[in-house]
mmCIF file of all heavy atoms in Angstrom:
data_model
loop_
_atom_site.group_PDB
_atom_site.id
_atom_site.type_symbol
_atom_site.label_atom_id
_atom_site.label_comp_id
_atom_site.label_asym_id
_atom_site.label_seq_id
_atom_site.Cartn_x
_atom_site.Cartn_y
_atom_site.Cartn_z
ATOM 1 N N HIS V 1 5.177 -5.011 -8.322
ATOM 2 C CA HIS V 1 6.126 -3.852 -8.419
ATOM 3 C C HIS V 1 5.789 -2.678 -7.515
ATOM 4 O O HIS V 1 6.572 -1.796 -7.273
ATOM 5 C CB HIS V 1 6.437 -3.485 -9.809
ATOM 6 C CG HIS V 1 7.330 -4.421 -10.517
ATOM 7 N ND1 HIS V 1 8.689 -4.578 -10.258
ATOM 8 C CD2 HIS V 1 7.084 -5.405 -11.524
ATOM 9 C CE1 HIS V 1 9.198 -5.511 -11.025
ATOM 10 N NE2 HIS V 1 8.314 -6.030 -11.771
ATOM 11 N N GLU V 2 4.531 -2.607 -7.137
ATOM 12 C CA GLU V 2 4.127 -1.554 -6.150
ATOM 13 C C GLU V 2 4.876 -1.734 -4.843
ATOM 14 O O GLU V 2 4.869 -0.788 -4.001
ATOM 15 C CB GLU V 2 2.641 -1.613 -5.939
ATOM 16 C CG GLU V 2 1.781 -0.676 -6.871
ATOM 17 C CD GLU V 2 1.728 -1.165 -8.254
ATOM 18 O OE1 GLU V 2 1.105 -2.182 -8.523
ATOM 19 O OE2 GLU V 2 2.314 -0.491 -9.130
ATOM 20 N N PHE V 3 5.454 -2.945 -4.581
ATOM 21 C CA PHE V 3 6.188 -3.179 -3.337
ATOM 22 C C PHE V 3 7.666 -3.110 -3.555
ATOM 23 O O PHE V 3 8.403 -3.430 -2.568
ATOM 24 C CB PHE V 3 5.859 -4.562 -2.819
ATOM 25 C CG PHE V 3 4.443 -4.722 -2.259
ATOM 26 C CD1 PHE V 3 3.318 -4.944 -3.163
ATOM 27 C CD2 PHE V 3 4.163 -4.536 -0.953
ATOM 28 C CE1 PHE V 3 2.060 -5.043 -2.677
ATOM 29 C CE2 PHE V 3 2.893 -4.637 -0.460
ATOM 30 C CZ PHE V 3 1.863 -4.902 -1.285
ATOM 31 N N ASP V 4 8.157 -2.679 -4.697
ATOM 32 C CA ASP V 4 9.623 -2.663 -4.917
ATOM 33 C C ASP V 4 10.367 -1.678 -3.992
ATOM 34 O O ASP V 4 11.499 -1.858 -3.748
ATOM 35 C CB ASP V 4 9.918 -2.312 -6.326
ATOM 36 C CG ASP V 4 9.736 -3.486 -7.239
ATOM 37 O OD1 ASP V 4 9.319 -4.532 -6.823
ATOM 38 O OD2 ASP V 4 9.974 -3.317 -8.533
ATOM 39 N N ARG V 5 9.753 -0.715 -3.462
ATOM 40 C CA ARG V 5 10.351 0.178 -2.450
ATOM 41 C C ARG V 5 9.874 -0.105 -1.091
ATOM 42 O O ARG V 5 9.864 0.801 -0.208
ATOM 43 C CB ARG V 5 10.196 1.696 -2.873
ATOM 44 C CG ARG V 5 10.994 2.083 -4.133
ATOM 45 C CD ARG V 5 10.641 3.527 -4.531
ATOM 46 N NE ARG V 5 11.376 3.881 -5.801
ATOM 47 C CZ ARG V 5 12.449 4.506 -5.878
ATOM 48 N NH1 ARG V 5 13.089 4.855 -4.724
ATOM 49 N NH2 ARG V 5 13.066 4.797 -6.945
ATOM 50 N N GLY V 6 9.360 -1.297 -0.869
ATOM 51 C CA GLY V 6 8.802 -1.702 0.368
ATOM 52 C C GLY V 6 7.565 -0.929 0.752
ATOM 53 O O GLY V 6 6.931 -0.291 -0.035
ATOM 54 N N SER V 7 7.163 -1.106 2.002
ATOM 55 C CA SER V 7 5.989 -0.408 2.540
ATOM 56 C C SER V 7 6.014 1.063 2.362
ATOM 57 O O SER V 7 5.008 1.730 2.055
ATOM 58 C CB SER V 7 5.633 -0.931 3.904
ATOM 59 O OG SER V 7 5.372 -2.220 4.026
ATOM 60 N N PRO V 8 7.204 1.686 2.684
ATOM 61 C CA PRO V 8 7.214 3.194 2.513
ATOM 62 C C PRO V 8 6.958 3.573 1.091
ATOM 63 O O PRO V 8 6.249 4.581 0.863
ATOM 64 C CB PRO V 8 8.719 3.500 2.904
ATOM 65 C CG PRO V 8 9.108 2.461 3.820
ATOM 66 C CD PRO V 8 8.443 1.151 3.301
ATOM 67 N N GLY V 9 7.415 2.851 0.085
ATOM 68 C CA GLY V 9 7.167 3.251 -1.321
ATOM 69 C C GLY V 9 5.685 3.107 -1.615
ATOM 70 O O GLY V 9 5.143 3.970 -2.311
ATOM 71 N N LEU V 10 5.045 1.964 -1.202
ATOM 72 C CA LEU V 10 3.707 1.803 -1.411
ATOM 73 C C LEU V 10 2.825 2.834 -0.693
ATOM 74 O O LEU V 10 1.798 3.367 -1.220
ATOM 75 C CB LEU V 10 3.229 0.386 -1.109
ATOM 76 C CG LEU V 10 1.728 0.042 -1.250
ATOM 77 C CD1 LEU V 10 1.214 0.441 -2.637
ATOM 78 C CD2 LEU V 10 1.427 -1.383 -0.934
ATOM 79 N N ALA V 11 3.195 3.167 0.550
ATOM 80 C CA ALA V 11 2.452 4.134 1.319
ATOM 81 C C ALA V 11 2.487 5.478 0.666
ATOM 82 O O ALA V 11 1.468 6.263 0.668
ATOM 83 C CB ALA V 11 3.041 4.181 2.713
ATOM 84 N N LEU V 12 3.629 5.841 0.086
ATOM 85 C CA LEU V 12 3.788 7.104 -0.645
ATOM 86 C C LEU V 12 2.790 7.144 -1.784
ATOM 87 O O LEU V 12 2.035 8.089 -2.044
ATOM 88 C CB LEU V 12 5.190 7.355 -1.100
ATOM 89 C CG LEU V 12 5.515 8.631 -1.923
ATOM 90 C CD1 LEU V 12 6.998 9.000 -1.740
ATOM 91 C CD2 LEU V 12 5.173 8.609 -3.350
ATOM 92 N N LEU V 13 2.749 5.978 -2.553
ATOM 93 C CA LEU V 13 1.836 5.946 -3.766
ATOM 94 C C LEU V 13 0.327 6.071 -3.229
ATOM 95 O O LEU V 13 -0.433 6.787 -3.893
ATOM 96 C CB LEU V 13 1.971 4.639 -4.478
ATOM 97 C CG LEU V 13 1.193 4.422 -5.726
ATOM 98 C CD1 LEU V 13 1.614 5.433 -6.788
ATOM 99 C CD2 LEU V 13 1.382 3.034 -6.275
ATOM 100 N N LEU V 14 0.020 5.411 -2.184
ATOM 101 C CA LEU V 14 -1.373 5.469 -1.691
ATOM 102 C C LEU V 14 -1.729 6.882 -1.190
ATOM 103 O O LEU V 14 -2.852 7.301 -1.255
ATOM 104 C CB LEU V 14 -1.557 4.416 -0.543
ATOM 105 C CG LEU V 14 -1.501 2.950 -0.934
ATOM 106 C CD1 LEU V 14 -1.485 2.090 0.345
ATOM 107 C CD2 LEU V 14 -2.530 2.633 -1.992
ATOM 108 N N ASP V 15 -0.716 7.565 -0.698
ATOM 109 C CA ASP V 15 -0.961 8.926 -0.282
ATOM 110 C C ASP V 15 -1.233 9.860 -1.425
ATOM 111 O O ASP V 15 -1.998 10.797 -1.329
ATOM 112 C CB ASP V 15 0.362 9.517 0.448
ATOM 113 C CG ASP V 15 0.540 8.983 1.786
ATOM 114 O OD1 ASP V 15 -0.354 8.447 2.427
ATOM 115 O OD2 ASP V 15 1.708 9.096 2.341
ATOM 116 N N GLU V 16 -0.618 9.526 -2.607
ATOM 117 C CA GLU V 16 -0.736 10.396 -3.741
ATOM 118 C C GLU V 16 -1.957 10.152 -4.634
ATOM 119 O O GLU V 16 -2.519 11.083 -5.237
ATOM 120 C CB GLU V 16 0.509 10.267 -4.629
ATOM 121 C CG GLU V 16 1.797 10.679 -3.922
ATOM 122 C CD GLU V 16 1.896 12.206 -3.828
ATOM 123 O OE1 GLU V 16 1.433 12.961 -4.699
ATOM 124 O OE2 GLU V 16 2.573 12.657 -2.836
ATOM 125 N N VAL V 17 -2.441 8.912 -4.738
ATOM 126 C CA VAL V 17 -3.476 8.649 -5.656
ATOM 127 C C VAL V 17 -4.872 9.015 -5.033
ATOM 128 O O VAL V 17 -5.037 9.001 -3.833
ATOM 129 C CB VAL V 17 -3.538 7.113 -6.106
ATOM 130 C CG1 VAL V 17 -2.303 6.702 -6.797
ATOM 131 C CG2 VAL V 17 -3.794 6.240 -4.874
ATOM 132 N N THR V 18 -5.782 9.328 -5.906
ATOM 133 C CA THR V 18 -7.106 9.724 -5.488
ATOM 134 C C THR V 18 -8.226 8.703 -5.904
ATOM 135 O O THR V 18 -9.398 9.022 -5.825
ATOM 136 C CB THR V 18 -7.495 11.131 -6.084
ATOM 137 O OG1 THR V 18 -7.376 11.058 -7.491
ATOM 138 C CG2 THR V 18 -6.554 12.193 -5.548
ATOM 139 N N PHE V 19 -7.774 7.558 -6.333
ATOM 140 C CA PHE V 19 -8.739 6.511 -6.773
ATOM 141 C C PHE V 19 -8.559 5.242 -5.871
ATOM 142 O O PHE V 19 -7.526 5.087 -5.202
ATOM 143 C CB PHE V 19 -8.533 6.114 -8.220
ATOM 144 C CG PHE V 19 -7.056 5.931 -8.675
ATOM 145 C CD1 PHE V 19 -6.414 4.709 -8.425
ATOM 146 C CD2 PHE V 19 -6.358 7.000 -9.244
ATOM 147 C CE1 PHE V 19 -5.043 4.552 -8.879
ATOM 148 C CE2 PHE V 19 -5.089 6.832 -9.684
ATOM 149 C CZ PHE V 19 -4.425 5.625 -9.437
ATOM 150 N N PRO V 20 -9.533 4.444 -5.789
ATOM 151 C CA PRO V 20 -9.533 3.230 -4.876
ATOM 152 C C PRO V 20 -8.499 2.277 -5.340
ATOM 153 O O PRO V 20 -8.344 1.964 -6.569
ATOM 154 C CB PRO V 20 -10.904 2.619 -4.972
ATOM 155 C CG PRO V 20 -11.781 3.748 -5.579
ATOM 156 C CD PRO V 20 -10.934 4.545 -6.385
ATOM 157 N N VAL V 21 -7.722 1.696 -4.387
ATOM 158 C CA VAL V 21 -6.747 0.591 -4.640
ATOM 159 C C VAL V 21 -7.170 -0.549 -3.732
ATOM 160 O O VAL V 21 -7.192 -0.392 -2.505
ATOM 161 C CB VAL V 21 -5.337 1.059 -4.309
ATOM 162 C CG1 VAL V 21 -4.355 -0.103 -4.444
ATOM 163 C CG2 VAL V 21 -4.902 2.242 -5.131
ATOM 164 N N VAL V 22 -7.498 -1.677 -4.345
ATOM 165 C CA VAL V 22 -8.018 -2.869 -3.610
ATOM 166 C C VAL V 22 -7.170 -4.078 -3.811
ATOM 167 O O VAL V 22 -6.493 -4.270 -4.817
ATOM 168 C CB VAL V 22 -9.501 -3.134 -4.081
ATOM 169 C CG1 VAL V 22 -10.405 -1.953 -3.849
ATOM 170 C CG2 VAL V 22 -9.458 -3.589 -5.534
ATOM 171 N N CYS V 23 -7.209 -4.953 -2.758
ATOM 172 C CA CYS V 23 -6.584 -6.236 -2.848
ATOM 173 C C CYS V 23 -7.106 -7.113 -1.747
ATOM 174 O O CYS V 23 -6.897 -6.793 -0.565
ATOM 175 C CB CYS V 23 -5.054 -6.136 -2.843
ATOM 176 S SG CYS V 23 -4.215 -7.682 -3.308
ATOM 177 N N ALA V 24 -7.645 -8.219 -2.101
ATOM 178 C CA ALA V 24 -8.340 -9.104 -1.115
ATOM 179 C C ALA V 24 -7.400 -10.063 -0.419
ATOM 180 O O ALA V 24 -7.565 -10.396 0.769
ATOM 181 C CB ALA V 24 -9.457 -9.875 -1.777
ATOM 182 N N ASN V 25 -6.327 -10.508 -1.117
ATOM 183 C CA ASN V 25 -5.506 -11.595 -0.537
ATOM 184 C C ASN V 25 -4.192 -11.004 0.059
ATOM 185 O O ASN V 25 -3.196 -11.735 -0.046
ATOM 186 C CB ASN V 25 -5.243 -12.703 -1.567
ATOM 187 C CG ASN V 25 -4.441 -12.228 -2.783
ATOM 188 O OD1 ASN V 25 -4.625 -11.102 -3.232
ATOM 189 N ND2 ASN V 25 -3.564 -13.122 -3.249
ATOM 190 N N LEU V 26 -4.264 -9.870 0.619
ATOM 191 C CA LEU V 26 -3.210 -9.262 1.341
ATOM 192 C C LEU V 26 -3.608 -9.020 2.802
ATOM 193 O O LEU V 26 -4.723 -8.440 3.030
ATOM 194 C CB LEU V 26 -2.722 -7.960 0.785
ATOM 195 C CG LEU V 26 -1.740 -7.985 -0.428
ATOM 196 C CD1 LEU V 26 -1.433 -6.528 -0.812
ATOM 197 C CD2 LEU V 26 -0.446 -8.777 -0.058
ATOM 198 N N ASP V 27 -2.841 -9.470 3.749
ATOM 199 C CA ASP V 27 -3.174 -9.175 5.165
ATOM 200 C C ASP V 27 -2.006 -8.165 5.602
ATOM 201 O O ASP V 27 -0.889 -8.595 5.773
ATOM 202 C CB ASP V 27 -3.112 -10.388 5.984
ATOM 203 C CG ASP V 27 -3.424 -10.182 7.427
ATOM 204 O OD1 ASP V 27 -3.440 -9.018 7.898
ATOM 205 O OD2 ASP V 27 -3.547 -11.171 8.202
ATOM 206 N N VAL V 28 -2.403 -6.935 5.774
ATOM 207 C CA VAL V 28 -1.349 -5.937 6.170
ATOM 208 C C VAL V 28 -1.750 -5.303 7.508
ATOM 209 O O VAL V 28 -1.258 -4.218 7.856
ATOM 210 C CB VAL V 28 -1.261 -4.806 5.092
ATOM 211 C CG1 VAL V 28 -0.698 -5.337 3.790
ATOM 212 C CG2 VAL V 28 -2.600 -4.162 4.829
ATOM 213 N N ARG V 29 -2.507 -6.008 8.276
ATOM 214 C CA ARG V 29 -2.952 -5.509 9.597
ATOM 215 C C ARG V 29 -1.864 -5.233 10.523
ATOM 216 O O ARG V 29 -1.945 -4.362 11.386
ATOM 217 C CB ARG V 29 -3.928 -6.433 10.244
ATOM 218 C CG ARG V 29 -5.297 -6.567 9.490
ATOM 219 C CD ARG V 29 -6.216 -7.598 10.150
ATOM 220 N NE ARG V 29 -5.565 -8.981 9.861
ATOM 221 C CZ ARG V 29 -6.185 -10.063 10.330
ATOM 222 N NH1 ARG V 29 -7.259 -10.006 11.066
ATOM 223 N NH2 ARG V 29 -5.640 -11.194 10.117
ATOM 224 N N GLU V 30 -0.680 -5.917 10.396
ATOM 225 C CA GLU V 30 0.464 -5.680 11.195
ATOM 226 C C GLU V 30 1.476 -4.790 10.719
ATOM 227 O O GLU V 30 2.530 -4.547 11.361
ATOM 228 C CB GLU V 30 1.076 -7.053 11.619
ATOM 229 C CG GLU V 30 0.138 -8.127 12.204
ATOM 230 C CD GLU V 30 -0.421 -7.596 13.530
ATOM 231 O OE1 GLU V 30 0.337 -6.988 14.330
ATOM 232 O OE2 GLU V 30 -1.666 -7.789 13.720
ATOM 233 N N ASP V 31 1.224 -4.219 9.513
ATOM 234 C CA ASP V 31 2.104 -3.277 8.896
ATOM 235 C C ASP V 31 1.604 -1.878 9.187
ATOM 236 O O ASP V 31 0.556 -1.496 8.672
ATOM 237 C CB ASP V 31 2.183 -3.495 7.368
ATOM 238 C CG ASP V 31 3.267 -2.699 6.683
ATOM 239 O OD1 ASP V 31 3.425 -1.482 7.098
ATOM 240 O OD2 ASP V 31 3.967 -3.227 5.838
ATOM 241 N N SER V 32 2.334 -1.143 10.038
ATOM 242 C CA SER V 32 1.757 0.186 10.508
ATOM 243 C C SER V 32 1.622 1.201 9.352
ATOM 244 O O SER V 32 0.775 2.073 9.462
ATOM 245 C CB SER V 32 2.648 0.734 11.533
ATOM 246 O OG SER V 32 3.999 0.929 11.023
ATOM 247 N N LEU V 33 2.381 1.031 8.264
ATOM 248 C CA LEU V 33 2.272 1.957 7.143
ATOM 249 C C LEU V 33 1.146 1.646 6.215
ATOM 250 O O LEU V 33 0.625 2.535 5.482
ATOM 251 C CB LEU V 33 3.578 1.976 6.421
ATOM 252 C CG LEU V 33 4.796 2.436 7.018
ATOM 253 C CD1 LEU V 33 6.067 2.348 6.178
ATOM 254 C CD2 LEU V 33 4.638 3.916 7.449
ATOM 255 N N LEU V 34 0.624 0.467 6.220
ATOM 256 C CA LEU V 34 -0.373 -0.033 5.274
ATOM 257 C C LEU V 34 -1.688 -0.374 5.916
ATOM 258 O O LEU V 34 -2.671 -0.561 5.133
ATOM 259 C CB LEU V 34 0.143 -1.145 4.447
ATOM 260 C CG LEU V 34 1.437 -0.912 3.655
ATOM 261 C CD1 LEU V 34 1.856 -2.075 2.850
ATOM 262 C CD2 LEU V 34 1.314 0.296 2.682
ATOM 263 N N ALA V 35 -1.724 -0.681 7.212
ATOM 264 C CA ALA V 35 -2.927 -1.189 7.847
ATOM 265 C C ALA V 35 -4.118 -0.262 7.643
ATOM 266 O O ALA V 35 -4.060 0.962 7.736
ATOM 267 C CB ALA V 35 -2.652 -1.319 9.346
ATOM 268 N N GLY V 36 -5.179 -0.914 7.186
ATOM 269 C CA GLY V 36 -6.487 -0.148 6.958
ATOM 270 C C GLY V 36 -6.581 0.625 5.752
ATOM 271 O O GLY V 36 -7.541 1.367 5.489
ATOM 272 N N ARG V 37 -5.540 0.441 4.828
ATOM 273 C CA ARG V 37 -5.519 1.263 3.664
ATOM 274 C C ARG V 37 -5.827 0.617 2.358
ATOM 275 O O ARG V 37 -5.871 1.256 1.293
ATOM 276 C CB ARG V 37 -4.118 2.016 3.518
ATOM 277 C CG ARG V 37 -3.692 2.776 4.820
ATOM 278 C CD ARG V 37 -2.440 3.566 4.517
ATOM 279 N NE ARG V 37 -2.684 4.663 3.592
ATOM 280 C CZ ARG V 37 -1.796 5.484 3.170
ATOM 281 N NH1 ARG V 37 -0.558 5.401 3.547
ATOM 282 N NH2 ARG V 37 -2.076 6.429 2.252
#
């Protein structure tokens, strides 16, 4: 459900939180909003 608003919605959440968010089985290198995050 972190993806329910697509990459923009998740990017907003990542902008706002101050704690680490991890996921090993996602490859987002080609997603400009999420790459490296």
Side-chain angles (χ1 to χ4, degrees):
H1 283 291
E2 268 71 67
F3 289 85
D4 280 1
R5 293 176 182 261
S7 296
L10 177 53
L12 184 153
L13 185 66
L14 295 174
D15 287 341
E16 296 287 329
V17 299
T18 57
F19 45 85
V21 177
V22 300
C23 192
N25 65 323
L26 278 181
D27 182 352
V28 294
R29 290 175 294 179
E30 301 301 319
D31 188 319
S32 61
L33 294 177
L34 302 178
R37 306 190 66 183

